[in-house]
Amino acid sequence: MSYKSYFTAKHVLSKGALYNYVLSDRSDGKTFDCKVRALYDYRDKKCITVYVRRFTKEITSTLYESFFNDVLGDSKANKEKYRKDFAGWQFKGSKRGVQVKVPGSETWDWIVFFIPLTMSGKLKSQLDGYVERIETIDFDEYVPLDDRYATNEMTLLNELWKSVDRDRDKLQLIILGNRISPFTPFFDYFKLSMQITQDKIRLYRDGTLAVQIYSSKEHREDRKKSRFATLVENTQYEDYNAGGVLNVLNIKVASHVGSTYFSSFKTSVGEGSIWSNGRQFIISSTKRKDGFLLVDQMYNTGREEYMINFGRFAQLFKRLYKTGQLYFEDESTYHLFEDILRKVWN
């Protein structure tokens, strides 16, 4: 389906922030925009784009062998302008990236490098000799539907930015997510708490960080009318398809009122309490100062602290989650407890 408008990063990048974080509905054109910008940045400035996904398995042969096909292919959805501007360009892709040979040149040159974030520490050396030509890092598909983020994700991202910027203090990172949700490691790391229901670009940290929420009424209206919308009506996919937040974890919600206090918990995100009504356990944002603390790391609070992997705690909470007996007061409470669950499954 063809629309009049799609996402373009030019507006948020024009703010001059070093880190640019964009959340929008799926299929709004974010990946397409990455590819278009890579082509024009190379044509106009000989710049090389670094394209990032989270895990190595996401850098597939389908991705690197046909990276520019959806921009320069024969689809009617593509603008003739792109095919005209890049007529005669040849591409060849590999796990390392995409090379280009332009008309009149006998040599192949890099136009895109691929970096899996979880391997960035080992692979960043492949950029040596090219960093002066890199002005943009695109981290695509940032918000995973299964909520599986990388361990120490923000440290990896900061290290990647530093290794490519090389003290130029101008490299622009743009992070693109297909799920409009405030519950991400990025928001936690920079302690961003915001209402994200309105389309807007907001600047933080003296203009070095930009956050954009983008949505297209045209896209959303068409999705509502589609046969697929009828298919997924009243399922957990309905909100996501319509442009909302998909609770893919199928979090079970319950109040702790009337239950027995079990313990408190603390993570890097926040703290709360754990309650039991017999078979079921309920995670609450209610804070208690008594009892012991279950933690994802030691915080030295002065209270009795136990790591979640101490004794049989991990087995208990893994069993509760697998059997559907672990409840949360709401999605934000799940987010407070999430780091403990990660430890349970690691």
Side-chain angles (χ1 to χ4, degrees):
M1 187 175 293
S2 180
Y3 296 105
K4 295 178 181 177
S5 64
Y6 289 92
F7 171 78
T8 172
K10 66 181 181 181
H11 302 298
V12 66
L13 292 176
S14 69
K15 303 296 183 182
L18 299 178
Y19 281 20
N20 302 269
Y21 183 81
V22 176
L23 295 175
S24 86
D25 303 339
R26 64 187 299 275
S27 301
D28 275 342
K30 294 182 296 298
T31 301
F32 189 89
D33 181 67
C34 289
K35 300 176 182 183
V36 170
R37 283 188 288 106
L39 288 166
Y40 282 104
D41 282 350
Y42 183 87
R43 189 197 69 171
D44 298 339
K45 301 179 289 184
K46 288 296 183 287
C47 286
I48 303 171
T49 296
V50 175
Y51 183 81
V52 175
R53 291 283 187 92
R54 184 168 282 104
F55 301 110
T56 303
K57 65 183 180 182
E58 296 180 80
I59 309 297
T60 64
S61 58
T62 301
L63 175 71
Y64 60 73
E65 289 175 359
S66 58
F67 189 73
F68 290 112
N69 282 13
D70 51 348
V71 180
L72 303 176
D74 295 328
S75 169
K76 291 181 180 180
N78 297 336
K79 294 181 179 179
E80 185 64 32
K81 179 180 186 302
Y82 299 142
R83 292 193 291 272
K84 181 179 179 181
D85 284 352
F86 304 101
W89 286 36
Q90 299 178 58
F91 303 95
K92 60 180 181 181
S94 66
K95 288 185 178 180
R96 184 180 179 187
V98 179
Q99 290 179 286
V100 62
K101 186 162 71 172
V102 300
S105 174
E106 297 299 321
T107 60
W108 290 91
D109 190 17
W110 291 104
I111 183 172
V112 174
F113 285 119
F114 296 135
I115 297 286
L117 182 65
T118 50
M119 293 293 292
S120 57
K122 295 182 179 180
L123 297 180
K124 62 187 179 183
S125 60
Q126 75 178 21
L127 306 180
D128 290 348
Y130 297 99
V131 292
E132 292 294 332
R133 295 175 57 193
I134 299 172
E135 295 183 356
T136 308
I137 297 176
D138 291 320
F139 187 174
D140 202 10
E141 304 291 347
Y142 173 72
V143 184
L145 286 180
D146 60 5
D147 278 331
R148 290 186 177 272
Y149 292 92
T151 303
N152 299 320
E153 179 153 308
M154 289 305 300
T155 298
L156 292 174
L157 197 56
N158 288 332
E159 285 295 310
L160 175 61
W161 185 92
K162 288 285 290 182
S163 66
V164 180
D165 183 70
R166 302 284 176 90
D167 295 322
R168 293 176 293 162
D169 208 29
K170 71 174 187 178
L171 176 69
Q172 288 192 286
L173 165 70
I174 181 165
I175 301 172
L176 303 161
N178 284 341
R179 179 181 169 199
I180 300 177
S181 171
F183 305 124
T184 68
F186 189 91
F187 273 168
D188 292 343
Y189 186 83
F190 288 110
K191 296 179 172 58
L192 300 178
S193 178
M194 54 184 289
Q195 297 296 320
I196 59 172
T197 56
Q198 296 181 348
D199 294 0
K200 192 174 182 180
I201 299 175
R202 297 171 174 86
L203 295 178
Y204 300 88
R205 295 183 176 257
D206 200 24
T208 60
L209 170 61
V211 176
Q212 180 180 12
I213 307 304
Y214 173 88
S215 66
S216 168
K217 292 181 180 179
E218 179 188 20
H219 299 194
R220 289 186 172 184
E221 286 301 317
D222 274 345
R223 290 190 190 108
K224 288 180 182 178
K225 301 172 186 175
S226 70
R227 296 181 67 208
F228 183 73
T230 301
L231 174 67
V232 298
E233 186 176 1
N234 296 323
T235 72
Q236 63 177 14
Y237 201 83
E238 181 180 16
D239 285 344
Y240 182 63
N241 183 60
V245 175
L246 172 64
N247 186 355
V248 293
L249 293 175
N250 194 23
I251 296 170
K252 293 192 173 184
V253 178
S255 170
H256 76 281
V257 175
S259 299
T260 302
Y261 176 58
F262 175 77
S263 77
S264 296
F265 72 88
K266 182 177 176 60
T267 68
S268 60
V269 180
E271 56 187 292
S273 52
I274 305 171
W275 302 73
S276 175
N277 60 9
R279 290 185 58 201
Q280 300 165 347
F281 275 58
I282 300 100
I283 310 301
S284 169
S285 59
T286 301
K287 296 179 182 179
R288 293 273 298 242
K289 295 183 178 180
D290 57 326
F292 64 88
L293 276 168
L294 274 183
V295 294
D296 59 335
Q297 57 182 302
M298 301 307 291
Y299 291 98
N300 299 317
T301 61
R303 294 174 62 178
E304 190 177 1
E305 296 182 16
Y306 293 100
M307 289 281 289
I308 186 62
N309 54 10
F310 175 80
R312 297 185 178 181
F313 286 129
Q315 295 96 316
L316 169 64
F317 282 90
K318 183 181 287 188
R319 176 178 58 79
L320 289 168
Y321 188 81
K322 287 178 66 176
T323 58
Q325 300 302 312
L326 191 59
Y327 287 73
F328 300 86
E329 285 189 323
D330 50 35
E331 187 176 0
S332 62
T333 304
Y334 166 79
H335 186 59
L336 294 177
F337 196 72
E338 187 175 7
D339 282 348
I340 286 178
L341 281 182
R342 291 184 199 282
K343 290 286 186 180
V344 167
W345 292 100
N346 286 341

